[in-house]
Amino acid sequence: MLKKKVDRIAVFGVILLCGVAGFLNFFQKFDFRLYDFMLSLRAEPVTRPEILFVEIDNRSLEDLGPWPWSRDILANSLLRMKELGAETAVFDIEYLSPSKLGVNPQASVEISNALDSQKKDVSEFLGQFAEAAVSGMYGNSELIALASEAVEDWINPEFDSLKENLISSSFQDNDALFAKAIQFFGDTWLTVNILDLDIKYPGEYLDYVGKRCLFSNVEDKKGLIENGNLYYLTDQGGDNRLGFCPALEVFMRGAGGAGFTNVVLDSDGTRRRVELLSRQDGGYAAQLTFAPILKKLDPEKIIRTNFSLKLMRAKNPDDEGERINITIPLDSHGRMPVNWLNREFIDSFRRESVVMLYQLDETESKIVSILETLGGFSLWDAQGNFLSYKEETEGLLNDYDYISQYKNYLLDKCRGFAEDGSAIDGGISEEEYTDYFDARQSFFERVKGFVDGSYFEEIAGRLEEMKGELDEQNYLEIKSGVNDLYDALKNEIVIYLGTFAEKKKAYEGSFCIVGNTASSTTDLGTTPFNRAYPNVGTHANVYNTIMNRSFVREIHWIFGFIVASLFAFGFSIYTTGMKVWRQNIDGILTVIFSVGIPFVLMSIFRIYVPVVAPAVVTGLSYLLVVMLRFVTAEKDKSVLRNAFSTYLAPAVVEEIVKDPSKLKLGGDEKRMTALFSDIKAFSSFSELVTPAKLVSILNEYLGSMSDKILAEQGTIDKYIGDSIVSFFGAPIDLENSAWNACISAVRMKQEEERFNRQALEKGIIPRALQTRIGINTGDMVVGNMGTSAKMNYTIMGDAVNLASRLEGVNKAYKSWILCSDSTWNEANSGDKFGKLAGRKFDRVRVVGRSEPVQLWNILGLKDELSETVLESLEIFEEAMDFYIKKDFVKAGKLFVKANKLVPEDESPLVYAQRCREYLENGLPENWDGVVNMTSK
């Protein structure tokens, strides 16, 4: 009983071992690799059209210098992005410390203006003082006192003011500018680090950030979010502590919000999942792109369940007029698996370089500079009036100066947001934005009109008129300079308008993620599909996953493991007793299903079930069960071989070993051939030797006889004293069981001759042993007869009994091998026809059987018999013809003649004696040629 259950015990052991390995995360790294492969099989998610990377790329670093840049660059970029229609700007850049003062790009202009103003004031004062001195109104002492007073009360303060103006004009507070630009853009999102960076923040500021950036409509009754945060801390390793470190206060007060950039690294260093919420005092911080998503979708409540985060009554990402419930699946530790694009970063989402925004500003500066140069060039008509270009240029410059002042006015209104999110002092209204951007658009359109107008033709015409008034060199220089200005202005305005229109299409309504993607950056990570992927791309994939609602649902490994364990255990039970090939097919199918089902779920439904544990438990169980059953089977086969090899042919034994069911209790009816053998006068022989020697002789003799039976694929049924009961055609089928039996009988007689010769020469036996053999072919019942405790593989039936009777009939005919007509006809057929040498004897009616049977006496194989024996056979057959015709005189003579050729063959004499008796006594009444046997 235990032997039958050992495979199930082994499978249970495998399940237990794999379960422990699973809990110890032994399979985790293998699962990660398979997860990456499986992720590549699912349909790739659609890319959200609004996602746009604003890259600090290689080109940006080449043109603007190495990172970090002065913060005015990205400040101006934000102003430009707002003008281009970008909707949201998310910075994947931490701003935790202030920067130094920067050089004011307008320093030369502002310093020049300040000096010009001061020069004018001083000149006016000195003129007024000189007039007073000349007028005689003041005496010399009064003039000295007046001069001293003027220096103290007016000149020194003026120059102190000039000094301050020069200093303020030379330097620029880029942090202040960036802070204003952040609010100017409107929906700018900065970073919060949820690890403790040991930065001291004023409590008042942290309270402010908490009210501005933390979400309070989160329901987490089980504290699952905080548990996940703590797991993240221990899982990432190191001596980190959870914390809350927002960007600089000056920046955060103008931002729309903030989110954390901390990403989850799996144990192999790959980014596959992210935390979406972090528990903080006063609420929950959201992941960098999840924070603006929550603001956009505006869910009424956020509910954390065991394996999901539910956004209740949120705005439909694709239809803001509709509110729906969005369920974000989470893994067992509360992280969202990211549905990554299966592409290189360069081919993923739309991308724009920061340098293009900078170049727009540069082109704008060049346009204004050319206009200023033109404005400083004076040309009159013949009447002494300025040409019309002069007025238009001054108008353009005045417009630009107004726009610049209006810009500064708007930036000055960016004084931060209150705790409730309202702009302090009202901030910038939509009308003001519209007025500002419309004024800028009108300015550049006016510049385009200026270039396309007739102003330069007017200048060229006037220069042509003045050609005679100017020397040729001066004329050519002025003309060339004007043409160069025209070409430069035309080129720059075309570049500006074309680039602006192109970038307008790119930025309009975009969700911009600003970050470093240059090849020199260290801000790279590993994803399921890329070994060096800019980390800014993580946030885009997170946004894309949530807004598309194309989630990957991860099922805890234990569920797949349990199902696979049931498969494995079921296999060990279901396949018990099956044929090996069926066991192998079912075992392989079990492994295929345990692996294939997770692959199907992932590729079609984006449901991920860790596959390694199920594969190992089913695969190892299958191999172990097969191995144990093989070992057990080999032991059973060894037992079978040892048990049957003594009375079954090796080929027959192997057939039984392959299919032991052939030895099942019960019988099958089939056409077979039975062979019975018995030693002539064995009783008298046994009186001539001791019992021990008799057993030795008999074992050797019967063993040699049995070998000939086994050699022809016969089966030894039993040994009854000196007799052998055997059959052909079971447990394996034979094409011609009659032939095999007849050949076996011939070989037995040949072996008997060899045995007797050698045994007599050695004095082992006192006289020769001679065996009579009876063979019959017919329908028999073959199988294991008896009980399950004691059974015997044997044959039964009338056809078996006839073979036994035929063995005994040999006594009457002094023959050695007799077979029935059915055996002879089958043996002497097909490709075996004519190979056996046999004599047709009488039809006899044996004891216990009313139906007579035709006897055939087998002498051997024709090609192995001597010419004398074959000649004797022909004479015997001729004699039988006369015998059947009742010509007993001729028959008797021929029978005697046949015996004389082969004296040891006494069967012809039996017939000769019978002919003599018939001649002397006459035939019995109603003689039909059938001989009735009166004894067995």
Side-chain angles (χ1 to χ4, degrees), residues 729-745:
I732 60 171
D733 296 330
L734 295 175
E735 183 180 352
N736 191 335
S737 63
W739 169 267
N740 288 66
C742 292
I743 293 300
S744 177

Side-chain angles (χ1 to χ4, degrees), residues 444-641:
F444 290 106
E445 289 176 354
R446 186 174 176 185
V447 173
K448 182 66 166 62
F450 176 73
V451 172
D452 294 339
S454 60
Y455 298 103
F456 283 91
E457 293 177 4
E458 181 185 24
I459 295 172
R462 180 56 182 156
L463 286 176
E464 192 65 30
E465 293 174 0
M466 295 174 62
K467 186 174 183 182
E469 302 174 14
L470 303 171
D471 63 72
E472 186 175 357
Q473 182 65 29
N474 193 18
Y475 167 77
L476 292 175
E477 288 179 358
I478 294 173
K479 183 178 181 180
S480 176
V482 171
N483 288 337
D484 288 345
L485 287 173
Y486 171 74
D487 291 338
L489 184 59
K490 181 179 180 180
N491 183 59
E492 295 301 333
I493 193 62
V494 169
I495 291 174
Y496 180 88
L497 292 175
T499 304
F500 186 89
E502 178 186 337
K503 299 309 170 188
K504 180 76 171 175
K505 291 180 180 179
Y507 280 87
E508 189 78 53
S510 291
F511 184 91
C512 302
I513 304 175
V514 184
N516 206 322
T517 64
S519 58
S520 60
T521 182
T522 58
D523 196 19
L524 299 173
T526 300
T527 74
F529 305 118
N530 296 277
R531 304 262 63 87
Y533 192 82
N535 288 332
V536 67
T538 301
H539 308 299
N541 279 278
V542 170
Y543 180 91
N544 199 60
T545 298
I546 297 174
M547 296 299 281
N548 277 333
R549 288 167 287 166
S550 58
F551 302 111
V552 175
R553 289 169 173 81
E554 181 174 327
I555 306 300
H556 195 282
W557 71 270
I558 194 66
F559 295 105
F561 174 75
I562 290 173
V563 173
S565 298
L566 293 175
F567 276 0
F569 208 74
F571 163 74
S572 67
I573 297 173
Y574 175 70
T575 59
T576 300
M578 283 186 176
K579 294 182 179 179
V580 174
W581 66 269
R582 277 294 307 275
Q583 293 183 34
N584 287 331
I585 289 176
D586 289 348
I588 293 171
L589 286 176
T590 300
V591 177
I592 290 174
F593 280 133
S594 67
V595 175
I597 291 175
F599 271 81
V600 171
L601 289 175
M602 185 64 168
S603 60
I604 299 177
F605 304 104
R606 296 195 305 275
I607 298 175
Y608 169 63
V609 180
V611 71
V612 175
V616 171
V617 76
T618 54
L620 197 57
S621 295
Y622 161 62
L623 293 176
L624 194 57
V625 166
V626 169
M627 182 177 70
L628 287 173
R629 288 177 179 174
F630 174 78
V631 172
T632 303
E634 285 302 307
K635 289 182 179 179
D636 292 342
K637 289 176 182 179
S638 177
V639 172
L640 287 173
R641 287 189 181 96

Side-chain angles (χ1 to χ4, degrees), residues 201-217:
Y201 292 96
E204 192 177 293
Y205 171 53
L206 290 179
D207 289 342
Y208 168 81
V209 174
K211 291 175 182 177
R212 288 287 321 283
C213 301
L214 299 182
F215 294 89
S216 59
N217 60 335

Side-chain angles (χ1 to χ4, degrees), residues 192-407:
V192 168
N193 199 308
I194 58 173
L195 295 179
D196 188 353
L197 302 180
D198 201 24
I199 300 175
K200 304 301 180 183
Y201 292 96
E204 192 177 293
Y205 171 53
L206 290 179
D207 289 342
Y208 168 81
V209 174
K211 291 175 182 177
R212 288 287 321 283
C213 301
L214 299 182
F215 294 89
S216 59
N217 60 335
V218 178
E219 182 182 297
D220 182 18
K221 295 180 179 179
K222 298 180 181 179
L224 298 173
I225 295 175
E226 187 171 5
N227 290 339
N229 299 154
L230 293 173
Y231 177 82
Y232 160 77
L233 195 65
T234 57
D235 185 51
Q236 301 307 291
D239 55 356
N240 294 318
R241 302 185 306 274
L242 291 175
F244 186 72
C245 298
L248 286 174
E249 182 175 359
V250 65
F251 301 147
M252 282 302 306
R253 288 194 177 274
F260 60 84
T261 59
N262 307 73
V263 296
V264 176
L265 295 180
D266 285 333
S267 58
D268 62 349
T270 301
R271 302 181 176 202
R272 298 183 178 89
R273 63 202 83 236
V274 294
E275 280 194 306
L276 294 179
L277 294 175
S278 174
R279 181 74 175 92
Q280 302 292 333
D281 291 338
Y284 295 84
Q287 192 270 344
L288 184 61
T289 49
F290 189 48
I293 286 174
L294 289 177
K295 181 180 178 182
K296 183 175 182 178
L297 301 185
D298 186 31
E300 293 181 0
K301 183 177 285 190
I302 303 169
I303 301 176
R304 173 71 157 89
T305 66
N306 287 337
F307 296 103
S308 69
L309 194 67
K310 296 183 177 181
L311 309 184
M312 309 304 294
R313 287 191 51 77
K315 292 179 181 177
N316 188 331
D318 302 313
D319 182 3
E320 291 190 5
E322 177 187 17
R323 283 193 174 267
I324 59 174
N325 295 333
I326 299 175
T327 300
I328 301 174
L330 306 176
D331 67 11
S332 57
H333 299 293
R335 291 88 59 88
M336 181 192 79
V338 179
N339 193 6
W340 294 87
L341 294 185
N342 186 8
R343 306 183 201 172
E344 295 292 333
F345 177 81
I346 194 172
D347 298 321
S348 58
F349 301 95
R350 295 185 302 122
R351 302 158 56 231
E352 287 291 336
S353 174
V354 169
V355 75
M356 297 304 297
L357 301 174
Y358 179 81
Q359 287 179 354
L360 265 177
D361 291 344
E362 286 290 288
T363 304
E364 180 177 328
S365 297
K366 289 178 183 178
I367 291 171
V368 174
S369 177
I370 294 171
L371 289 174
E372 288 175 342
T373 302
L374 274 173
F377 173 68
S378 299
L379 195 61
W380 300 266
D381 60 15
Q383 288 74 36
N385 299 316
F386 284 113
L387 297 183
S388 59
Y389 81 89
K390 185 75 170 178
E391 181 180 356
E392 183 63 18
T393 302
E394 290 177 353
L396 286 169
L397 291 172
N398 287 335
D399 284 353
Y400 191 76
D401 185 57
Y402 166 78
I403 293 170
S404 299
Q405 292 178 25
Y406 194 52
K407 168 186 170 183

